[in-house]
Amino acid sequence: HSRSHPVLDAYKLAHQYHDSLLEIQGDMLILNLSEKEYLQLKNTDHVVYIGVNNDHVFDSRIKRNSLTKLVNKSSDSNVELTIPEFECYNTVEGTYAEAKSQAIAHPELVQWKKIGESWKKTQKESGYDLNVLVIGADQKNSNKPKLFLQSGLHAREYAPVALNLAFAKYLITNQGVDPEVDWILDNTEIHLLLVANPDGRKKAEEGLWWRKNTNNNYCSDEPNRMGVDLNRNYTFNWFSIENGSSGDECMSTFRGHEKGSEPEIQAIEAYVRSIFPDSRGPNVNDAAPTSTPGLFIDIHSAGGMVMWPWSTTVDPAPNAAGLQRLGRRFAAINGYRAFQSSNLYPADGVSTGLGYGELGIASIIFEIGTQFFESCQTYEQEVLPNNLRALMYAAKAAISPYTITKGPEVVGIRLEGSGQKPVPSGTNINLKANVSDALFRQLADETLEASQSIKQVLLTISHVDTAEVTKEIQLSAADGEFDSNNELISYVLNTENWSEGLYSLYMKAQDQDGNWGTVKGASLVIDNNIENQNVLPTADFSFECADLECIVSGDKSTDDGELTYRWLINDRAPLFGKSVSFNYYETGEYKIVLQVEDEFGFVASTEKTLTLQGIIVPVAVLEYSCDGLICDFDSSKSSDTDGQITHLEWYIDGIYQADYREATFQYEFPVAGTYVIGLFVVDNHNAYDFKEISVEVKDKPVPVKAIVKPVKEASKSGGALMVLLTLLISCFYIRRRWY
Ligand SMILES: [Zn+2]
């Protein structure tokens, strides 16, 4: 909550307290704060609301409510391969079994390599190996640029491990099918540390909000708070700033008593140093050459963020321009917010210190999804599809991540007339795509990344069996001229006399500054025994909205085959699936677009605007009258259309007046002057409003009566903010409004 910019401020606050984030419920953040953190928050500019619903207090020791059966650990044959009630997520055993089976099935492409051991295993008490799944390593060419993806460093973050494994399986199963995958495997090596903290993960699979490893040398008196935060134990810049980590063994950000003390971190550091050469000098301002290949991504959850170094200072990293451009490119693909880690959330001893600080490799943190124990529905309809696309981009960008983002990207490539289906030669296929040199996502008040007009777009078609390049075509803009940073392509491929077989189509684009983007691929099968018949699809959907949640279903769409469904709801990241759900908070209009695509690449779409009855924000009204230095303040004209005001707070010059909690209060000012009086009201839906007025208090005992309208509205649209405080734990909700 802010005097100046409530939306941005709430956004910053959310990130600042990211480590305490329990989950995001609709438009609220639920945080788990220590008493100290809570008091710090009280002393800032942020309005804090105490009381109410103490029974909602979360405790890091409570189990996930819905969990009814625990992971069976009695014998190997009974080990659960997925997390009970979260069947879309593999357990450590399930993840390792999947990875191992891929390596056995594709020995020429995939290796499952041991790189070290978990803390428990080093103590000879069960525990796990730390393994990396390597895809596309080429014995003849060990100089291929490398992508390193790490997940599961924080135990309770379910979705990142699943995403990392899903990415591996996508690459492996689409080799020889998706030309883009073939390009990646020819040009890049993929190194996936699927479960960076398996001991801790095991605890989280039992339903605990476990974050650290399970080293019981620390905080041994409290078995559910022991361990080291592995993402504060990396050696680079370890314990280098105040408040970047904790020295308290029981805290969730305990850094360890020495840098790199934990076996997991020792293994990860040794491995990452072995695959990436050191490309950055020893001084803080030494930049890595912008041509440095290789990309390091640490995947966490949750919050929907993409972050780049530094995390220890708000100063820009020496490669800031390239890192920022890369972060904003990822954000445009997965729909998240992108910013430098430290701006909002200082941390030391973190993973990107290894990748970037120590080695100069472009390093990025993803915070995917909305909560640690992400529902499978949200994971499958949003988190997985949007982040798979981001990781595909990462694999291509790894050849030159600091600079390739300058080039234009081909997006939404589609072969209208063939799609996923084989077609006979002679079929006319309309190749459609969008080419953008401005594929970046930044906050509303940030300056735009530079972009130029598209200069050229190249299409290369080759016959996969013969490896012959059939055609190289300069594509033209659909509007006739390349004169913009965003161009549509619509090109008719005449397949007359094409021989049968599988064709790869590659597109890439260049901007006026000469920068090329990454390669985009599609495939086409010519088969003359196929009869090419297709009925065009139609799009229509039904919806059911209640209690701040809508379920939309594309079941009224028609086609003669299978459809894929893509949903655009206001400015949110797209959702995928025949039936999806989304939350709404405020009363208002919600534009819903459904795009369906049939197996032949034909698209139909429909749009409906729903007026949804959400929560109506209360209105704070502040009146006063003064008699000399004594003033009476009155909030009783404040109102809430769909409920009642349940809580209010008074502020004088930004300071919370704990003694005054009623609708009216009388105050004697010590000296004459101008004071800023603030009124904060919360309704029964936890929506809020905040008003401030300037009051001139005069010495003379001359009575002044006045009704003053608010001169400043700190919160136009309001939201919710609530803190629940018990002795040790407090949680607060804050209205979230992202850009
Ligand atoms: Zn994390």
Side-chain angles (χ1 to χ4, degrees), residues 295 305-309 319-340 362-366 390 393 401-402 405 439-442 449:
L295 180 52
M305 309 171 219
V306 175
M307 299 184 282
W308 60 85
N319 291 94
L323 291 167
Q324 172 180 292
R325 204 164 44 231
L326 180 62
R328 290 173 168 184
R329 171 62 50 81
F330 281 129
I333 297 171
N334 62 14
Y336 292 161
R337 277 78 43 193
F339 48 86
Q340 181 179 333
S363 298
I364 296 285
I365 293 174
F366 281 8
Y393 180 79
Y402 290 119
T405 48
L439 189 66
F440 301 107
R441 187 162 198 249
Q442 47 246 313
E449 289 291 333

Side-chain angles (χ1 to χ4, degrees), residues 190-209:
I190 312 292
H191 295 248
L192 309 175
L193 175 55
L194 300 172
V195 189
N197 174 14
D199 291 347
R201 169 76 175 203
K202 221 53 220 165
K203 296 273 190 189
E205 287 170 7
E206 293 168 13
L208 294 168
W209 290 104

Side-chain angles (χ1 to χ4, degrees), residues 295-599:
L295 180 52
F296 176 109
I297 300 180
D298 187 13
I299 312 171
H300 289 249
S301 64
M305 309 171 219
V306 175
M307 299 184 282
W308 60 85
W310 300 116
S311 67
T312 47
T313 166
V314 295
D315 294 340
N319 291 94
L323 291 167
Q324 172 180 292
R325 204 164 44 231
L326 180 62
R328 290 173 168 184
R329 171 62 50 81
F330 281 129
I333 297 171
N334 62 14
Y336 292 161
R337 277 78 43 193
F339 48 86
Q340 181 179 333
S341 304
S342 61
N343 280 351
L344 309 162
Y345 167 28
D348 53 21
V350 303
S351 60
T352 48
L354 169 65
Y356 179 72
E358 189 179 320
L359 300 171
I361 302 301
S363 298
I364 296 285
I365 293 174
F366 281 8
E367 293 279 359
I368 63 171
T370 61
Q371 54 186 303
F372 295 139
F373 296 167
E374 191 80 77
S375 75
C376 285
Q377 164 134 15
T378 304
Y379 174 71
E380 281 159 2
Q381 76 181 18
E382 190 268 298
V383 178
L384 175 63
N386 288 318
N387 284 291
L388 260 187
R389 288 164 55 227
L391 294 184
M392 285 292 284
Y393 180 79
K396 294 186 291 176
I399 59 171
S400 184
Y402 290 119
T403 58
I404 201 161
T405 48
K406 289 182 177 180
E409 284 300 307
V410 178
V411 291
I413 186 170
R414 179 159 61 86
L415 299 180
E416 204 177 75
S418 64
Q420 312 301 315
K421 289 287 202 182
V423 290
S425 68
T427 307
N428 272 349
I429 293 160
N430 199 354
L431 185 155
K432 296 205 161 177
N434 188 279
V435 181
S436 175
D437 202 43
L439 189 66
F440 301 107
R441 187 162 198 249
Q442 47 246 313
L443 299 181
D445 56 352
E446 289 176 338
T447 49
L448 296 179
E449 289 291 333
S451 64
Q452 293 78 38
S453 292
I454 308 301
K455 183 181 177 189
Q456 59 172 329
V457 181
L458 287 184
L459 169 66
T460 307
I461 303 172
S462 52
H463 194 279
V464 171
D465 297 336
T466 61
E468 274 171 26
V469 174
T470 315
K471 279 186 169 61
E472 279 181 333
I473 302 165
Q474 287 257 7
L475 298 174
S476 51
D479 63 4
E481 205 177 345
F482 284 132
D483 54 1
S484 156
N485 62 8
N486 210 320
E487 296 283 358
L488 284 173
I489 302 292
S490 182
Y491 176 79
V492 178
L493 271 177
N494 182 344
T495 62
E496 202 73 56
N497 300 323
W498 285 27
S499 54
E500 291 190 306
L502 173 65
Y503 292 81
S504 306
L505 282 68
Y506 288 110
M507 282 176 74
K508 61 176 183 174
Q510 187 187 35
D511 69 16
Q512 285 293 348
D513 279 3
N515 301 303
W516 288 95
T518 69
V519 162
K520 194 78 190 165
S523 61
L524 172 62
V525 176
I526 299 292
D527 181 345
N528 291 329
N529 295 318
I530 296 283
E531 274 197 50
N532 188 3
Q533 282 184 337
N534 185 35
V535 177
L536 295 181
T538 67
D540 195 8
F541 64 89
S542 60
F543 56 90
E544 227 182 284
C545 300
D547 300 332
L548 307 183
E549 187 188 29
C550 283
I551 297 168
V552 289
S553 170
D555 51 5
K556 292 162 81 181
S557 307
T558 64
D559 191 54
D560 57 339
E562 291 281 308
L563 290 173
T564 55
Y565 301 80
R566 184 168 182 265
W567 303 85
L568 300 170
I569 296 156
N570 285 356
D571 57 352
R572 304 178 190 203
L575 304 179
F576 297 85
K578 185 171 183 177
S579 175
V580 300
S581 69
F582 68 93
N583 292 102
Y584 58 97
Y585 183 73
E586 280 177 30
T587 293
E589 295 195 329
Y590 291 77
K591 190 177 93 175
I592 300 176
V593 177
L594 168 63
Q595 299 170 337
V596 297
E597 183 173 336
D598 75 4
E599 295 157 298

Side-chain angles (χ1 to χ4, degrees), residues 115-285:
I115 66 161
E117 294 180 343
S118 70
W119 180 81
K120 261 188 154 177
K121 186 140 192 192
T122 64
Q123 305 302 301
K124 314 285 179 225
E125 34 166 307
S126 68
Y128 298 86
D129 288 338
L130 255 60
N131 280 21
V132 170
L133 193 67
V134 183
I135 306 172
D138 186 341
Q139 310 307 331
K140 284 165 271 170
N141 177 14
S142 61
N143 288 325
K144 281 163 76 176
K146 295 171 182 69
L147 169 66
F148 178 81
L149 287 184
Q150 167 182 293
S151 53
L153 191 65
H154 285 148
R156 62 197 171 192
E157 300 168 6
Y158 280 0
V161 176
L163 170 67
N164 207 352
L165 180 63
F167 177 56
K169 287 166 78 175
Y170 184 85
L171 293 176
I172 295 164
T173 56
N174 284 286
Q175 189 196 22
V177 178
D178 178 347
E180 211 166 306
V181 168
D182 291 341
W183 188 94
I184 288 169
L185 297 177
D186 285 346
N187 291 281
T188 319
E189 254 179 56
I190 312 292
H191 295 248
L192 309 175
L193 175 55
L194 300 172
V195 189
N197 174 14
D199 291 347
R201 169 76 175 203
K202 221 53 220 165
K203 296 273 190 189
E205 287 170 7
E206 293 168 13
L208 294 168
W209 290 104
W210 201 278
R211 171 182 168 100
K212 304 191 279 184
N213 74 356
T214 66
N215 188 333
N216 65 11
N217 291 317
Y218 309 118
C219 195
S220 50
D221 292 347
E222 292 183 67
N224 280 323
R225 300 180 72 196
M226 65 190 183
V228 173
D229 182 358
L230 296 178
N231 206 25
R232 297 294 183 278
N233 191 243
Y234 285 88
T235 57
F236 185 86
N237 273 349
W238 179 82
F239 188 22
S240 58
I241 56 168
E242 235 185 294
N243 298 324
S245 55
S246 175
D248 179 340
E249 294 182 351
C250 298
M251 292 296 284
S252 65
T253 54
F254 175 54
R255 64 179 84 97
H257 291 310
E258 283 174 64
K259 63 182 177 185
S261 59
E262 300 311 293
E264 293 89 351
I265 294 305
Q266 289 162 12
I268 295 167
E269 292 195 331
Y271 187 74
V272 170
R273 287 169 190 146
S274 78
I275 63 169
F276 293 120
D278 184 354
S279 303
R280 205 178 75 82
N283 301 313
V284 67
N285 289 323

